[in-house]
């Protein structure tokens, strides 16, 4: 058939206009992230010299700047005398002394900028001396101790995991009141996280279990589904203790 080659040719033709947006959209389906091409990177914040240079002698001045730059990474619970660090998904105990490292790194960054202050040789030499003091081990310890009572860092234990309708997973946080999923947010103060994230398709193994265990009793299937969903929340309003009994294993 003479039309067959032409039909095949038309079928294999790409879009008449292939631009970057089309290519990026195709690549996105395979995990390509175009954010770096759509947004400009944020510049690292700079530390400006205070109106009163003597403020540099204040541990509180340094503490405020460390908190402003790193509060999204650190929290402290005074009642438990415990540092928590954000791991990208949840707040976890600081077993690796990350809080100490973060404070030292931030003080080092501040010291590097302070060492360049001054309008003449005398002032520059004085600021270099202050920069050396900022990086001292005793200064890091003093700043860290001040941070423990900073309102942007300190937490009461009851503030953690307080939203009982949030389910934190490795792939994001699910609002159980709406079913919507969003990226993990340190402001949610979640310390618990499930082992796996939700799937995107059907769950044949779960449905097969329900039908086998209940002999396809739709009312009982619905009850078990509601019970499983209730167990995902932190609610205890039902005042219920459930026993699952029957033959099989």
């Amino acid at each position: 058939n003479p039309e067959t080659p032409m039909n095949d040719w038309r079928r294999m033709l790409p879009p008449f206009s292939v631009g970057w947006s089309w290519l990026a959209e195709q690549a996105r389906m395979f995990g390509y992230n175009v954010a770096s091409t759509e947004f400009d990177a944020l510049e690292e914040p700079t530390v400006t010299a205070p109106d009163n240079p003597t403020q540099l002698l204040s541990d509180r001045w340094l503490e405020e700047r460390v908190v402003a730059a790193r509060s999204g990474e650190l929290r402290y619970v005074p009642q438990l005398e415990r540092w928590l660090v954000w791991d990208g998904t949840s707040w976890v105990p600081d077993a690796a002394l990350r809080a100490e490292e973060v404070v030292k790194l931030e003080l080092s960054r501040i010291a590097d900028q302070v060492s360049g202050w001054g309008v003449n040789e005398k002032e520059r030499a004085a600021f270099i001396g202050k920069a050396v003091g900022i990086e001292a081990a005793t200064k890091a310890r003093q700043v860290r101790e001040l941070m423990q009572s900073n309102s942007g860092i300190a937490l009461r234990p009851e503030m953690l995991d307080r939203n009982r309708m949030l389910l934190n997973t490795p792939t994001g946080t699910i609002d159980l009141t709406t079913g919507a999923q969003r990226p993990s947010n340190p402001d949610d103060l979640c310390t618990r996280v499930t082992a796996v994230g939700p799937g995107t398709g059907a769950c044949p193994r779960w449905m097969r279990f329900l039908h086998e265990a209940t002999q396809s009793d739709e009312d009982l299937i619905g009850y078990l589904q509601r019970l499983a969903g209730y167990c995902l929340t932190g609610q205890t309003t039902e005042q219920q203790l459930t026993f699952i009994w029957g033959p099989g294993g």
Side-chain angles (χ1 to χ4, degrees), residues 168-240:
N168 197 28
T169 81
T171 59
T173 303
I174 302 172
D175 185 341
L176 295 174
T177 60
T178 64
Q181 182 174 353
R182 53 179 169 77
S184 299
N185 188 338
D187 292 337
D188 290 331
L189 300 179
C190 293
T191 66
R192 301 182 179 94
V193 61
T194 61
V196 296
T200 57
C203 43
R205 186 174 183 180
W206 166 243
M207 296 307 300
R208 184 170 66 250
F209 160 76
L210 289 176
H211 281 277
E212 291 176 354
T214 65
Q215 296 183 348
S216 298
D217 185 325
E218 293 297 333
D219 289 338
L220 186 53
I221 288 175
Y223 169 77
L224 291 176
Q225 288 178 313
R226 292 192 298 275
L227 178 62
Y230 178 70
C231 290
L232 294 178
T233 76
Q235 302 284 8
T236 56
T237 53
E238 293 298 322
Q239 301 291 312
Q240 179 173 322

Side-chain angles (χ1 to χ4, degrees), residues 82-102:
R82 176 183 299 172
W83 282 97
L84 301 176
V85 294
W86 177 250
D87 68 357
T89 302
S90 62
W91 291 100
V92 298
D94 185 18
L97 302 180
R98 176 64 179 164
E100 292 188 19
E101 183 66 14
V102 166

